[in-house]
Amino acid sequence: MARCGPEASCRWGQTLTFVKRMRFVVVLGAFTIAASCTREGKPEPPREAAAAVLPAPSGPRATATLDAEDGQWAMPMKSYSGIRYSQLTEITPANAKNLVPAWTFSTSVLRGHEEPPIVVNNTMYVLTPYPNILYALDLTLPGAPKKWQYEPKPQSESQGVACCDVVNRGPSFAEGKIVFNTLDDHVVAVDANTGKEVWKTKVGDINMGETMTMAPLVVKGKVLVGNSGGEMGVRGWLKALDLASGKLLWTAYSTGPDSDVKIGSRFKAYYPKDRGKDLGETTWQGEQWKIGGGNVWGWLTYDPQTNLVYYGTANPGPWNPDQRPGDNKWTSTLFARDPDTGEAVWAYQLSPHDLHDYDGVNESLLLDVPWKGQTRKALLHPDRNGYVYLMDRMTGEILSAEPFGYITTSRRVNLTNGSLELAPDKKPEVGKVVREICPASPGTKDWQPSSFSPRTGLAYIPHQNLCEDEEGIEANYIAGTPYVGMNVRMYAGPGGHRGELTAWDPVAGRPAWKLIEKFPVWSGTLVTASDVVFYGTMDGWFKAVDARTGTPLWQYRVGSGIIGQPVTYRGPDGRQYVAVMSGVGGWAGAIVAGGLDAQDSTAALGFAAAMRDLPDATQKGGTLYVFKLP
Amino acid sequence: MSTTTRRTSARRHRVIGASAFVLLSLVSACDREQRRFRENPPSTSPSNVRVSALQPGTMVDTTHVAGPYDNNAWAQSEGQRLFGWYNCAGCHANGGGGMGPPLMDDQWIYGSSPENIYNTIVQGRPNGMPSFAGKIPTPQVWMLVAYVRSLSALNTTGARSSRTDHMMMYPGSSSLQDPAKPQQSFRPPASEMP
Amino acid sequence: MLQGGLRGALNQSVLEASGPQAAKVEKLWWFAFTTAAIVYVLTMAALWWATRRARRRELRGELLDDAYAEPRMTRGVTWATAATLVILLLFLGADLLIGRTLSPIPKKQPLTIELTGHQWWWEVQYADTSPHGRFTTANEIHIPVGEPVLFVLEATDVIHSFWVPNLAGKKDLIPGYTQSVWFQADTAGVYRGQCAEFCGLQHAKMALQVVAEPRTKYEEWATKQRRPAENASDPTASRGR
């Protein structure tokens, strides 16, 4: 175009000509921008727990079989049903505010104390995290002095292959012996009176990345134990040892051919997706099932009437799902097994081809529920994937599966075919960051065990409220080193709080009441027949609340955060005592127990990022606290 | 400008340009940029490498080995790659720790000098550090040493490997909220995320 | 391997097509070459003629002035433009006629191979309906002769490009992006392919082999691959496992 003179009309004319010539480009540009704006599809609507509604006082209520109350606490769950319910009634909602410390005991260990003290024959047994010292305290004498201590002296190298702090979830008492696991894969039986070792059996290898942290369950003279190591490429198993001699009786693997998994003629999966031959092999590529995970580090419950042991298996390895195509059976699976032979009677895979480390190891409380006019023998399983499963414990049929937290990773559990319907946009991939994965890898609830009261008909579920971002990276398998393949960064879920205590109504499938906590409630709960619930927080408050309404009754600040399991017992003087370990740690408290640096958001598999303020709120510790009424 | 001044100015420019070129070529020969593929760095640490600062009697000089790659950018970047490759990141995360202690803070249980870190990797340590002797080739161990030292800024920053595109550090926190006033959970906008 | 009508890998060449996709590429190449050759010859001939005519005119002593040259130039420009347009249209027609190598694969449930490019090797995963039927090899692909094979292309670090000249054209492997390409080998043999996008220091050595063999031999090989690795017989071998 020729240069314009000072005349405005010339300029204007030139501009118009320019625009006319460029109109094609302008229209094309507008289309391109509009098209790119609509690139992202609509996100999946998330799931949330239903609003809390107190159950009607005379409505249908879940119940449980109760043993006679002997005032003891002989195993971490107190009874085979797992409900952690005490029939002692001295402490009531009215007088709980008067609780005072009776005495304390230092364990001399400063790592995470997830274990409960157990009380048998007026002796209290305290098992510490690594180095797994077992103390026996004489409750008949003032101040409960130490009777003896037993030191299994586990290999110090085992600390290097324990994923989530060097915890131990407790010993069990049976037939005059205390049995427990050590971090370096030994099962030990110690005489309960003298503290002398009766037998010590090695069942795993730390050089393969195996450790043991779970509390054994003793059933009919057999000690049932399982291994840890889902983050180390360890193949999971459940083993039975003879209580008298420590000899290995049977091993039921969690992956591999049916003969290894002990799936035989008695096995009947309720849903078609869990039926087939050698699924523990064919749902994996090649031989990946040999390093596939499925560890048994959580809770075992037992029904003496049906003679079935119920437990769940842990996550598949590595966390990066693209490296292990297929459903990856039998990881993240609930099993019902016959403890005499180990054979599986039914199984249900909760999270096939798990994408977010949703282990299936949480407790299955054995309840009887009125369901559609019948009474069903059921189990209540609050899972990592965010749903509370109410299942028929004879067959594995799901009666209901309702969310108890905020879920973006799945739409629902399909009750017709038992499948978990995943949200398609929450799949982690190598090189891609997927955000707002809720619940985060510790799940809506991790190992911390719930309790149940047959009086209120409510289960008391301690849990967390966390979301995360995930990025897949390629994992290399080197035996004895981590096999994960994921960068994770966690943060608080909706609401900004990280912990909750939910009182869950199993029949209605909804919360009855909820308490909000700043930090994840990583301790177990305890409920008594006088309707008092006890639990502890990670910043060191041991709390008592009313079981019916959740009204806070009492709290006491202990020396270090509480991640252990509270117990209650009748002392030699006939009084009721409540005891709990304090000593923060575990996966949630690793930032304190391990002295980690939260500048790196991926520290502690992403948990450190969500717990940056924990070091300000509490320190390491290792003390047993016992409370009573004055 | 007069012709003389223009000629002088042009000549000055040429001199400056030439000297810059010479200086640049000197600089580019410096240690930071060299890639040495066939090397034999020291494979065994000298025998009197000490992990404790206590010495009975008179103090004797401790042998220090300069890490061969402390100033080399390529080696530290390789160290970053090997850190994930050999699963160091599985226990130590990206410096923050987890199963193992953090490497980006200023607490060194077994010493922070290059020969101490070399020995830690090769010999292992009693509380859970595996021994990688015979599993990682010696030049790669020294690359890892250089990278580990750079995590807590013990090496000159000029040769540090740059931040990768991985989701790693995020200084802001989404969980430091006043519990008395719970708000909608803060999720940083995607555009701000590393 | 080199007997019975099979080819060796030494014959890696776009001009030795062994499959329909490569054949199309080869045809296009020859078309372009022929057209360019003709145009080149004609241009050279015109140039030679012009120099000859100028020389002749010079010898005759005629003057060449601007006024005389212009009308001829206009005609020349018109003719050149017209010829260019015609050739371009011819190319367009040839391209459409010869067909694109991106046409949908003419087989339901074809053999699918997931090819992932790494620095500097090829990860080859054979897909299967059941995860247990999947297996992985490196740098070596076996395919049955005469059947279309679908390749799903991904990369983990930088852009690579999959190129087996005897069988197909190039297709990039781009990180974060999944592409697919399919081709078919009509003759049994061993075909060498290589990475065709600069991807780092060892790019030149990032080669691969495609072995096309009869269906039965392919099935034998695949079954053998699915079996677990044999136990190492001597200490050196077991250290390498």
Side-chain angles (χ1 to χ4, degrees):
Chain A
M1 281 185 271
R3 263 179 170 275
C4 255
E7 287 213 11
S9 56
C10 173
R11 286 258 169 89
W12 181 234
Q14 283 204 341
T15 317
L16 274 179
T17 321
F18 181 78
V19 168
K20 263 195 257 175
R21 286 186 190 169
M22 293 294 130
R23 65 187 182 279
F24 178 66
V25 174
V26 166
V27 169
L28 189 65
F31 263 117
T32 318
I33 292 169
S36 60
C37 280
T38 54
R39 196 169 9 105
E40 283 197 9
K42 274 176 59 165
E44 292 279 333
R47 295 293 307 273
E48 269 181 358
V53 172
L54 286 175
S58 53
R61 181 166 300 188
T63 55
T65 325
L66 293 174
D67 305 326
E69 176 62 62
D70 56 359
Q72 302 193 122
W73 198 282
M75 64 170 109
M77 307 183 303
K78 181 160 164 65
S79 62
Y80 282 139
S81 59
I83 62 172
R84 298 167 189 261
Y85 172 74
S86 171
Q87 295 172 63
L88 300 175
T89 52
E90 185 190 340
I91 300 173
T92 68
N95 62 26
K97 62 181 183 299
N98 303 323
L99 280 166
V100 289
W103 47 271
T104 62
F105 173 77
S106 166
T107 62
S108 76
V109 177
L110 290 176
R111 301 301 297 237
H113 286 62
E114 285 184 357
E115 71 279 358
I118 65 170
V119 179
V120 180
N121 294 331
N122 291 325
T123 311
M124 181 177 276
Y125 299 92
V126 176
L127 178 67
T128 72
Y130 174 90
N132 303 133
I133 306 170
L134 179 69
Y135 297 102
L137 309 176
D138 190 342
L139 296 176
T140 59
L141 297 173
K146 183 173 75 176
K147 271 186 2 182
W148 47 258
Q149 74 186 61
Y150 168 78
E151 292 180 48
K153 300 201 177 71
Q155 280 180 283
S156 62
E157 291 90 342
S158 57
Q159 297 173 86
V161 286
C163 85
C164 311
D165 200 6
V166 293
V167 298
N168 190 301
R169 295 185 186 91
S172 280
F173 171 85
E175 293 177 29
K177 296 185 246 304
I178 304 280
V179 279
F180 63 96
N181 297 317
T182 66
L183 193 64
D184 66 343
D185 308 310
H186 287 82
V187 188
V188 189
V190 163
D191 184 292
N193 288 324
T194 62
K196 292 281 177 295
E197 177 185 306
V198 179
W199 49 258
K200 188 173 175 190
T201 309
K202 184 168 192 286
V203 289
D205 184 3
I206 60 169
N207 267 303
M208 296 303 293
E210 273 180 310
T211 49
M212 290 174 80
T213 55
M214 52 88 79
L217 185 74
V218 185
V219 162
K220 295 164 77 179
K222 293 182 186 54
V223 181
L224 299 177
V225 296
N227 62 353
S228 304
E231 279 65 50
M232 312 288 291
V234 172
R235 187 182 178 203
W237 44 251
L238 175 73
K239 289 191 189 224
L241 287 82
D242 179 48
L243 176 63
S245 62
K247 255 184 40 187
L248 179 65
L249 297 173
W250 53 255
T251 305
Y253 287 96
S254 306
T255 62
D258 283 350
S259 51
D260 285 351
V261 185
K262 291 199 167 310
I263 289 178
S265 48
R266 271 180 76 183
F267 182 77
K268 193 164 177 351
Y270 189 84
Y271 295 100
K273 73 176 179 73
D274 297 323
R275 293 188 208 142
K277 188 167 164 358
D278 286 337
L279 287 177
E281 220 183 332
T282 58
T283 53
W284 296 84
Q285 177 172 342
E287 296 192 304
Q288 286 178 350
W289 52 267
K290 293 188 178 172
I291 51 173
N295 303 84
V296 182
W297 59 270
W299 297 107
L300 282 61
T301 47
Y302 172 65
D303 185 350
Q305 284 187 350
T306 56
N307 195 34
L308 288 175
V309 169
Y310 301 93
Y311 71 96
T313 61
N315 61 296
W319 287 26
N320 180 0
D322 289 337
Q323 293 186 235
R324 43 167 174 88
D327 269 355
N328 309 134
K329 285 179 159 54
W330 297 87
T331 62
S332 299
T333 299
L334 275 184
F335 270 105
R337 286 191 188 275
D338 180 332
D340 296 322
T341 56
E343 46 180 329
V345 172
W346 61 257
Y348 169 70
Q349 192 178 28
L350 298 149
S351 306
H353 190 58
D354 164 56
L355 303 174
H356 311 294
D357 189 45
Y358 292 154
D359 296 32
V361 298
N362 291 350
E363 69 282 5
S364 297
L365 305 181
L366 305 184
L367 315 175
D368 299 322
V369 294
W371 194 260
K372 302 198 167 88
Q374 286 184 302
T375 305
R376 305 284 287 264
K377 287 186 180 300
L379 59 83
L380 191 75
H381 173 87
D383 195 69
R384 296 264 280 252
N385 63 17
Y387 296 93
V388 179
Y389 289 79
L390 184 69
M391 299 171 71
D392 183 322
R393 67 176 184 262
M394 314 291 288
T395 58
E397 176 193 356
I398 305 176
L399 303 176
S400 79
E402 295 298 323
F404 67 115
Y406 185 72
I407 304 175
T408 60
T409 50
S410 57
R411 286 195 212 104
R412 63 178 186 139
V413 177
N414 184 323
L415 295 183
T416 325
N417 57 19
S419 67
L420 179 68
E421 291 178 9
L422 298 174
D425 55 339
K426 297 297 181 191
K427 183 176 176 317
E429 278 177 32
V430 173
K432 185 172 135 195
V433 181
V434 181
R435 304 195 189 272
E436 288 195 35
I437 291 177
C438 315
S441 294
T444 304
K445 188 180 91 67
D446 200 294
W447 75 280
Q448 61 268 50
S450 348
S451 54
F452 171 80
S453 165
R455 281 171 50 91
T456 60
L458 300 177
Y460 301 95
I461 306 178
H463 63 104
Q464 52 265 11
N465 173 38
L466 295 169
C467 296
E468 72 185 8
D469 299 340
E470 273 182 25
E471 179 199 17
I473 47 183
E474 205 176 312
N476 286 332
Y477 177 71
I478 305 174
T481 66
Y483 186 47
V484 177
M486 196 74 77
N487 278 334
V488 180
R489 187 179 66 89
M490 301 183 204
Y491 41 85
H497 57 277
R498 284 159 284 170
E500 290 180 4
L501 174 68
T502 297
W504 182 265
D505 183 341
V507 177
R510 66 188 311 148
W513 51 259
K514 235 196 233 217
L515 291 178
I516 305 290
E517 287 289 344
K518 178 175 175 190
F519 292 108
V521 184
W522 208 251
S523 79
T525 60
L526 153 72
V527 63
T528 70
S530 45
D531 299 334
V532 182
V533 173
F534 288 93
Y535 72 100
T537 66
M538 286 185 77
D539 52 349
W541 289 100
F542 189 44
K543 299 189 175 182
V545 303
D546 188 313
R548 293 187 181 279
T549 58
T551 318
L553 302 169
W554 166 89
Q555 61 180 24
Y556 186 86
R557 186 83 199 275
V558 298
S560 171
I562 298 175
I563 58 168
Q565 308 158 50
V567 305
T568 184
Y569 64 94
R570 190 186 302 123
D573 56 355
R575 307 292 306 283
Q576 183 183 5
Y577 292 84
V578 181
V580 73
M581 307 298 305
S582 96
V584 80
W587 186 13
I591 187 174
V592 172
L596 308 183
D597 192 329
Q599 275 183 92
D600 174 5
S601 306
T602 62
L605 290 167
F607 223 137
M611 306 295 283
R612 285 199 171 94
D613 50 344
L614 188 66
D616 297 330
T618 186
Q619 315 295 120
K620 298 190 221 189
T623 311
L624 163 74
Y625 283 80
V626 181
F627 299 91
K628 68 169 208 213
L629 290 171
Chain B
M1 266 191 293
S2 69
T3 321
T4 332
T5 326
R6 242 183 278 138
R7 264 206 300 266
T8 322
S9 158
R11 198 163 151 265
R12 200 184 301 143
H13 286 155
R14 258 182 263 132
V15 168
I16 292 172
S19 8
F21 179 74
V22 169
L23 279 167
L24 233 74
S25 5
L26 288 173
V27 158
S28 64
C30 79
D31 196 27
R32 181 187 191 280
E33 297 305 327
Q34 285 190 6
R35 297 187 183 203
R36 305 186 284 260
F37 297 115
R38 296 169 199 277
E39 278 232 300
N40 263 329
S43 61
T44 45
S45 278
S47 51
N48 55 340
V49 168
R50 300 170 196 275
V51 181
S52 168
L54 282 178
Q55 285 185 43
T58 338
M59 293 283 284
V60 172
D61 260 343
T62 305
T63 307
H64 283 298
V65 176
Y69 297 124
D70 275 0
N71 295 323
N72 189 286
W74 181 74
Q76 287 187 27
S77 147
E78 273 295 285
Q80 185 178 44
R81 180 182 73 83
L82 295 169
F83 195 77
W85 193 253
Y86 286 117
N87 288 337
C88 314
C91 287
H92 294 285
N94 291 302
M99 292 164 56
L103 299 176
M104 66 198 310
D105 62 358
D106 57 359
Q107 295 187 30
W108 294 89
I109 309 173
Y110 305 111
S112 65
S113 58
E115 65 275 11
N116 282 140
I117 299 180
Y118 178 93
N119 277 348
T120 299
I121 296 174
V122 162
Q123 297 171 355
R125 293 298 184 213
N127 281 317
M129 173 68 191
S131 161
F132 285 92
K135 302 285 161 69
I136 305 183
T138 304
Q140 291 187 342
V141 178
W142 285 111
M143 289 176 191
L144 285 166
V145 167
Y147 175 66
V148 166
R149 281 169 58 81
S150 77
L151 279 176
S152 50
L154 290 170
N155 277 335
T156 55
T157 50
R160 290 180 73 178
S161 50
S162 54
R163 205 191 77 175
T164 63
D165 287 336
H166 287 308
M167 172 189 85
M168 271 170 50
M169 311 204 193
Y170 181 66
S173 167
S174 58
S175 55
L176 296 176
Q177 294 189 9
D178 183 354
K181 309 196 281 286
Q183 307 135 36
Q184 192 56 38
S185 152
F186 169 68
R187 282 189 224 38
S191 57
E192 275 179 29
M193 299 309 302
Chain C
M1 251 299 173
L2 290 173
Q3 273 114 30
L6 305 177
R7 289 175 191 221
L10 297 166
N11 293 329
Q12 173 188 8
S13 167
V14 175
L15 300 178
E16 304 217 12
S18 296
Q21 285 74 23
K24 287 176 195 162
V25 172
E26 195 186 342
K27 267 192 221 127
L28 203 56
W29 191 94
W30 279 115
F31 177 75
F33 177 78
T34 320
T35 315
I38 293 171
V39 168
Y40 178 73
V41 164
L42 286 175
T43 313
M44 289 299 122
L47 190 64
W48 184 84
W49 180 76
T51 53
R52 295 295 304 144
R53 198 178 69 148
R55 183 71 181 140
R56 264 184 272 123
R57 283 234 182 92
E58 204 181 7
L59 290 173
R60 274 194 297 223
E62 276 176 27
L63 284 167
L64 302 162
D65 58 34
D66 290 336
Y68 181 74
E70 270 195 38
R72 293 284 184 111
M73 220 173 82
T74 319
R75 231 189 14 235
V77 165
T78 321
W79 272 108
T81 316
T84 312
L85 277 171
V86 165
I87 292 174
L88 279 174
L89 283 168
L90 270 177
F91 264 97
L92 187 65
D95 186 43
L96 290 170
L97 218 68
I98 288 172
R100 301 183 177 283
T101 52
L102 286 173
S103 51
I105 188 166
K107 184 178 179 182
K108 292 214 195 325
Q109 289 164 356
L111 172 65
T112 305
I113 295 175
E114 290 163 22
L115 195 62
T116 307
H118 296 263
Q119 278 175 321
W120 291 277
W121 61 283
W122 303 91
E123 182 188 335
V124 185
Q125 279 215 27
Y126 282 75
D128 192 284
T129 42
S130 127
H132 202 57
R134 296 171 63 102
F135 60 94
T136 313
T137 71
N139 298 330
E140 187 177 319
I141 306 177
H142 287 235
I143 58 175
V145 173
E147 290 177 41
V149 179
L150 180 66
F151 289 85
V152 176
L153 307 175
E154 287 174 337
T156 53
D157 32 48
V158 296
I159 299 182
H160 304 267
S161 189
F162 178 46
W163 188 39
V164 187
N166 294 87
L167 296 177
K170 300 177 186 176
K171 194 83 181 198
D172 279 2
L173 289 79
I174 302 169
Y177 188 68
T178 308
Q179 301 217 72
S180 53
V181 70
W182 71 270
F183 58 70
Q184 181 175 317
D186 283 335
T187 322
V190 177
Y191 303 102
R192 185 176 179 275
Q194 64 195 67
C195 178
E197 182 65 46
F198 181 69
C199 51
L201 292 172
Q202 301 282 358
H203 159 74
K205 300 188 180 168
M206 188 170 162
L208 70 150
Q209 275 200 338
V210 177
V211 178
E213 46 194 5
R215 231 306 147 163
T216 41
K217 286 201 74 179
Y218 163 77
E219 288 295 342
E220 260 179 53
W221 173 86
T223 316
K224 188 152 172 280
Q225 290 298 315
R226 286 192 189 100
R227 273 191 241 123
E230 285 161 19
N231 281 322
S233 46
D234 62 75
T236 319
S238 56
R239 270 187 64 199
R241 274 209 77 184

